[in-house]
Amino acid sequence: MGKGRLEAFSDGVIAIIITIMVLELKVPHGAEWATLLPLWPVFLSYVLSFIYVGIYWNNHHHLVHTATQVTGGALWGNLHLLFWLSLVPFVTGWMGENHFAAVPLACYGLVLFMCSVAYFILATCLAANNEALKIALGKDRKGKLSTLLYAVGIGVSLVTPMAGFAVYIFVAMIWFVPDRRFERR
């Protein structure tokens, strides 16, 4: 199967996810700067989630671009990733509306953890029939470290919520540095 449909469908779903997140931002009632202050947790949650969805979109693009063949397993792996990404707007809103409380923050981390696992599954399915992709992925230390840090962030969030949030920010910062493995291929 060609990869064009998989990439187009994924791009559409990711665009909808970002749209849903931005529509969750509510306009403040008032025209003063002070009316924005109570919205900072919601806005900060949105910014972090936008960055994460952007990271997944970027990495997904590189992953699919490098692949030469898409199997049925890869299609299911892709749907698995999109399922977990589709939960990002829900946990983003819950986390922001509750000012980074422990349980919503841990659930946010759980969704990020599952996105990471789902991405690993998709990458494994695609790499099984694509030698260039297998070489580009290598040992995927960055991906494995991220998954581990999400698990740590979940546990930390339940004890010290803002420290857990800091772990999620740290992982995003790791991925902010462009992944050159695919650009070399």
Side-chain angles (χ1 to χ4, degrees), residues 16-30:
I16 291 168
I17 290 167
I18 289 173
T19 302
I20 290 169
M21 285 192 319
V22 77
L23 290 175
E24 288 295 313
L25 296 176
K26 303 300 178 213
V27 177
H29 300 288

Side-chain angles (χ1 to χ4, degrees), residues 48 52 91 94-95 98-113 148-171:
L48 182 60
Y52 266 115
V91 292
W94 192 27
M95 177 176 67
N98 291 287
H99 299 244
F100 309 106
V103 172
L105 198 55
C107 287
Y108 183 80
L110 177 63
V111 169
L112 294 177
F113 176 84
L148 174 66
L149 288 173
Y150 292 139
V152 168
I154 293 166
V156 170
S157 292
L158 293 170
V159 179
T160 311
M162 290 315 288
F165 189 69
V167 171
Y168 306 145
I169 291 172
F170 178 72
V171 176

Side-chain angles (χ1 to χ4, degrees), residues 38-52:
L39 300 177
W40 77 266
V42 174
F43 185 72
L44 184 58
S45 298
Y46 167 76
V47 169
L48 182 60
S49 293
F50 185 92
I51 289 168
Y52 266 115

Side-chain angles (χ1 to χ4, degrees), residues 16-171:
I16 291 168
I17 290 167
I18 289 173
T19 302
I20 290 169
M21 285 192 319
V22 77
L23 290 175
E24 288 295 313
L25 296 176
K26 303 300 178 213
V27 177
H29 300 288
E32 295 77 36
W33 289 109
T35 59
L36 293 174
L37 194 56
L39 300 177
W40 77 266
V42 174
F43 185 72
L44 184 58
S45 298
Y46 167 76
V47 169
L48 182 60
S49 293
F50 185 92
I51 289 168
Y52 266 115
V53 172
I55 288 167
Y56 275 101
W57 174 76
N58 194 0
N59 288 336
H60 185 275
H61 165 75
H62 287 298
L63 190 70
V64 174
H65 180 73
T66 305
T68 55
Q69 181 181 357
V70 176
T71 63
L75 292 175
W76 283 108
N78 192 63
L79 283 173
H80 184 224
L81 173 62
L82 294 175
F83 169 78
W84 289 105
L85 285 173
S86 74
L87 292 176
V88 169
F90 170 74
V91 292
T92 299
W94 192 27
M95 177 176 67
E97 289 293 329
N98 291 287
H99 299 244
F100 309 106
V103 172
L105 198 55
C107 287
Y108 183 80
L110 177 63
V111 169
L112 294 177
F113 176 84
M114 291 307 300
C115 285
S116 181
V117 169
Y119 185 84
F120 175 79
I121 292 169
L122 172 61
T124 301
C125 288
L126 286 171
N129 298 309
N130 296 280
E131 193 60 34
L133 180 57
K134 192 181 298 184
I135 292 167
L137 286 170
K139 294 182 181 177
D140 194 23
R141 289 185 184 109
K142 198 165 152 180
K144 291 174 183 168
L145 174 63
S146 299
T147 305
L148 174 66
L149 288 173
Y150 292 139
V152 168
I154 293 166
V156 170
S157 292
L158 293 170
V159 179
T160 311
M162 290 315 288
F165 189 69
V167 171
Y168 306 145
I169 291 172
F170 178 72
V171 176

